[in-house]
Amino acid sequence: MDTTDIFLYAGYLLVVIGSILAIIMPLISSLGDPKSLLKTLVGVVIIAAVFGIAYSSASGDVAAKYMADPFNITPEGAKMVGGVLITVYALFLLAIVGIVITEINKIIK
C-alpha cells in the first residue's frame, strides 16, 4: 500500500467523520430550542419539494453511446442527474434573487 492510498483513506475517513458531526452536532445543540428544529425541517421539506418538481420535469433520455460501456447510464440515472441539476439551478437563481432583494432593501433603508 502506497502512502497516497493511505492519505486517500484518511481523507475519506475525515470526510465521513466531518459529515456525521455536521449532522449530529446541530441536532444536539438545538434540543434545548425545538423551534430551531422546526425551521430546519421546513427548509428540508422545501428543498425536497423543489427536488420533486425538478425530478418530475427532468428528461430520462440518454444517447445510445452513453448507454454502452464505459458509461452505462440508465434512463433512471439520467433522470436523477437531471433532477439534481435542475434543483441546483433553481436554488442558485433563488439565492441570486434573495441577494438582489436584500441589497435593494439596504439601499431603501
Side-chain angles (χ1 to χ4, degrees):
M1 183 178 275
D2 195 15
T3 57
T4 305
D5 292 335
I6 293 171
F7 287 126
L8 280 174
Y9 290 128
Y12 296 152
L13 179 67
L14 290 174
V15 167
V16 168
I17 290 171
S19 300
I20 291 170
L21 290 177
I23 293 169
I24 292 176
M25 293 305 289
L27 289 175
I28 291 172
S29 66
S30 64
L31 288 176
D33 186 18
K35 287 185 180 180
S36 65
L37 284 175
L38 182 62
K39 291 178 184 178
T40 303
L41 181 64
V42 168
V44 169
V45 167
I46 289 172
I47 290 176
V50 169
F51 174 73
I53 294 168
Y55 181 79
S56 65
S57 66
S59 173
D61 296 338
V62 181
K65 67 179 181 178
Y66 295 117
M67 289 181 138
D69 284 335
F71 301 110
N72 296 326
I73 304 295
T74 63
E76 295 83 20
K79 189 167 177 117
M80 179 66 73
V81 170
V84 170
L85 283 173
I86 293 171
T87 301
V88 168
Y89 299 151
L91 293 176
F92 175 74
L93 287 175
L94 185 66
I96 295 296
V97 168
I99 291 169
V100 168
I101 290 173
T102 301
E103 292 301 320
I104 290 173
N105 281 339
K106 284 182 182 179
I107 291 172
I108 292 173
K109 292 179 182 180

